[in-house]
Amino acid sequence: MVGYAFMGAAHSQAWRTVNRVYDLPARARMAMICGRDAGKVAGAADRLGWDAYTTDWRALVASDEIDVVDICTPGDSHAEIALAALAAGKHVLCEKPLANTVAEARAMTAAAATARAAGVRSMCGFNYRRVPAVTMMRQLVADGRLGVIRHVRAAYLQDWIVDPQFPLVWRLQRDRAGSGALGDIGAHIIDLTQYVTGQRITGVSAVTETFVKERPLPAGSSGLAATANGSVDGGGPPTGPVTVDDAAVFVARLDEGSLATYEASRFATGRKNALRVEINGSLGTVAFDLERLNELEFYDATRPTAEQGFTRILVTEGEHPYMSAWWPPGHIIGYEHSFTHQMRDFVEAVATGADPTPSFADALQVQLVLDAVTRSAELGSQWTEVEPALAALAV
Ligand SMILES: NC(=O)c1ccc[n+]([C@@H]2O[C@H](COP(=O)([O-])OP(=O)(O)OC[C@H]3O[C@@H](n4cnc5c(N)ncnc54)[C@H](O)[C@@H]3O)[C@@H](O)[C@H]2O)c1
């Protein structure tokens, strides 16, 4: 694993757990973790349960001890690490968004296709697909229980940078993160809704905004000071420009005729991690809220009119996706379980020679949507078609 902070910890917990919860064809061994600071990565290896550590991801990629590379770094290093790992014959799990640019995502997808011919697998970490209620939404759509999908309504709302004094961390710098709320949390709802509906976004009209354009540099961040136009304002701490969107809102068309709305914001005061999706079809509706992730709301319009209404399904039965390995019905699960489910599916695919999903090609398609949203916003919300992912593969 490369990176040991937020996702590093979440993935480590999943790697520690997955062998013990699920009966897998191969056991995952936590061989080596990488970070840039020797002291900190040593502590992380100990705390998170890794056998060894290194400060050079190239050493990790080159190691004969390692079969799988799990990339948990900011987007500016995804492509370089993934390309090297695939070339070295390592299976790759890469956090979302796949890359910072379409060009990088194309190169990664092409490399994944080449590596696949040699039996090397790759997957992108859109973990919310593996929340049992989300997987169940997809099954309901696939089984025709919603009929023809007319509307997709998705929002992913957070509020962690409402304070203008919140520092200019890497997530607020385009060269490190690619984009802001759009690529960070908007990417999740793009992937999730396409996964659930089985439809692709074909075109968008978007607005984006950066509400706070200048922020204090984080304390002791020499690398940041070099990239931001550090300035001293009235004797206060040095500041730098925010170079990503704080919020992105767009309407979209899906390829089977649905209309969709998307909202991704880090300025939704009071909303901490509110991922909400509602899908309306000719025969029914499903609604999901990550803050109540064990539940799914289902409206079945085929029931007798007098009995129609939203049903709250508690998605904790053994027959629900992923749930048979956990607790008795009603004993709920949480955020971290989606990562354990992700590792289960990834290990199973690698061990049995199957292709895990979402593939790099799937993640490239999400990247193309992000790109279309950015271009539309720059062109005053002009309607912008999403470039087909297949054409990108030929590059
Ligand atoms: N799936 C999800 O729900 C989810 C949630 C949060 C973040 N993410 C994604 O995970 C990735 C990491 O985000 P995070 O929140 O964990 O960030 P973070 O800032 O918490 O951690 C980043 C880690 O990467 C390390 N790092 C940075 N550059 C490195 C390099 N060149 N070599 C080695 N280590 C390096 C840092 O030291 C740190 O340990 C991003 O792509 C982000 O979009 C996904």
Side-chain angles (χ1 to χ4, degrees):
M1 171 181 291
V2 191
Y4 54 80
F6 179 20
M7 277 308 101
H11 284 216
S12 295
Q13 174 154 327
W15 286 122
R16 284 196 306 271
T17 309
V18 70
N19 298 316
R20 298 161 201 237
V21 174
Y22 291 103
D23 193 14
L24 293 171
R27 275 186 81 78
R29 184 168 68 80
M30 297 167 71
M32 192 186 290
I33 190 166
C34 172
R36 292 159 301 173
D37 180 295
K40 287 184 184 164
V41 73
D46 185 47
R47 192 175 66 254
L48 300 175
W50 294 85
D51 293 347
Y53 66 86
T54 176
T55 53
D56 179 7
W57 63 259
R58 287 179 181 81
L60 180 147
V61 161
S63 169
D64 291 338
E65 287 290 295
I66 288 169
D67 301 306
V68 170
V69 175
D70 183 0
I71 303 172
C72 293
T73 57
D76 61 341
S77 52
H78 288 186
E80 193 181 17
I81 300 171
L83 292 175
L86 290 169
K90 315 295 186 195
H91 309 286
V92 175
L93 172 59
C94 182
E95 259 302 341
K96 50 51 60 180
L98 185 63
N100 278 1
T101 64
V102 166
E104 287 172 345
R106 283 180 183 176
M108 293 166 79
T109 304
T114 305
R116 181 181 176 274
V120 175
R121 311 287 160 184
S122 45
M123 176 170 138
C124 187
F126 284 110
N127 58 301
Y128 291 131
R129 289 181 173 212
R130 268 97 185 176
V131 172
V134 172
T135 315
M136 184 176 169
M137 281 170 93
R138 176 178 160 95
Q139 287 175 356
L140 287 170
V141 172
D143 291 347
R145 300 292 300 277
L146 266 60
V148 181
I149 306 297
R150 304 296 190 199
H151 288 294
V152 172
R153 214 163 287 114
Y156 198 163
L157 309 175
Q158 300 183 339
D159 74 349
W160 55 279
I161 55 170
V162 165
D163 180 354
Q165 292 309 309
F166 188 92
L168 189 65
V169 295
W170 69 263
R171 281 190 159 81
L172 306 180
Q173 300 169 63
R174 180 178 291 270
D175 58 338
R176 302 230 46 213
S179 64
L182 176 62
D184 186 16
I185 51 180
H188 271 302
I189 46 177
I190 292 167
D191 179 71
L192 191 156
T193 51
Q194 294 191 133
Y195 168 72
V196 166
T197 61
Q199 295 188 50
R200 294 288 170 105
I201 296 172
T202 55
V204 299
S205 171
V207 287
T208 60
E209 185 55 74
T210 304
F211 299 114
V212 175
K213 296 183 169 50
E214 191 92 6
R215 287 180 181 273
L217 300 181
S221 52
S222 52
L224 259 177
T227 54
N229 295 323
S231 60
V232 178
D233 182 10
T239 63
V242 176
T243 47
V244 299
D245 59 282
D246 289 334
V249 178
F250 61 98
V251 295
R253 285 189 182 278
L254 276 64
D255 59 5
E256 288 172 25
S258 314
L259 298 184
T261 62
Y262 294 84
E263 183 181 11
S265 179
R266 294 165 167 169
F267 272 75
T269 307
R271 298 297 174 200
K272 304 301 170 186
N273 199 39
L275 189 169
R276 295 163 181 183
V277 173
E278 178 169 301
I279 296 169
N280 310 128
S282 54
L283 301 179
T285 285
V286 284
F288 171 76
D289 179 349
L290 184 67
E291 290 178 354
R292 305 173 73 104
L293 68 78
N294 289 273
E295 300 173 21
L296 191 61
E297 277 195 284
F298 179 39
Y299 185 102
D300 184 353
T302 67
R303 291 186 61 79
T305 309
E307 296 173 14
Q308 282 178 19
F310 277 94
T311 302
R312 169 184 166 270
I313 301 171
L314 193 59
V315 190
T316 58
E317 297 293 325
E319 65 205 77
H320 284 132
Y322 301 104
M323 290 306 292
S324 61
W326 294 107
W327 319 118
H331 294 65
I332 56 179
I333 62 165
Y335 172 71
E336 70 270 28
H337 294 75
S338 64
F339 295 98
T340 309
H341 302 160
Q342 176 170 276
M343 300 326 177
R344 183 200 86 161
D345 292 345
F346 184 68
V347 169
E348 233 170 45
V350 165
T352 60
D355 288 319
T357 55
S359 65
F360 278 16
D362 294 330
L364 165 61
Q365 196 274 337
V366 173
Q367 204 82 38
L368 289 163
V369 177
L370 299 177
D371 181 63
V373 170
T374 303
R375 285 187 288 122
S376 170
E378 284 169 359
L379 294 169
S381 309
Q382 182 177 302
W383 184 257
T384 303
E385 302 285 332
V386 176
E387 194 185 318
L390 210 57
L393 275 177
V395 173

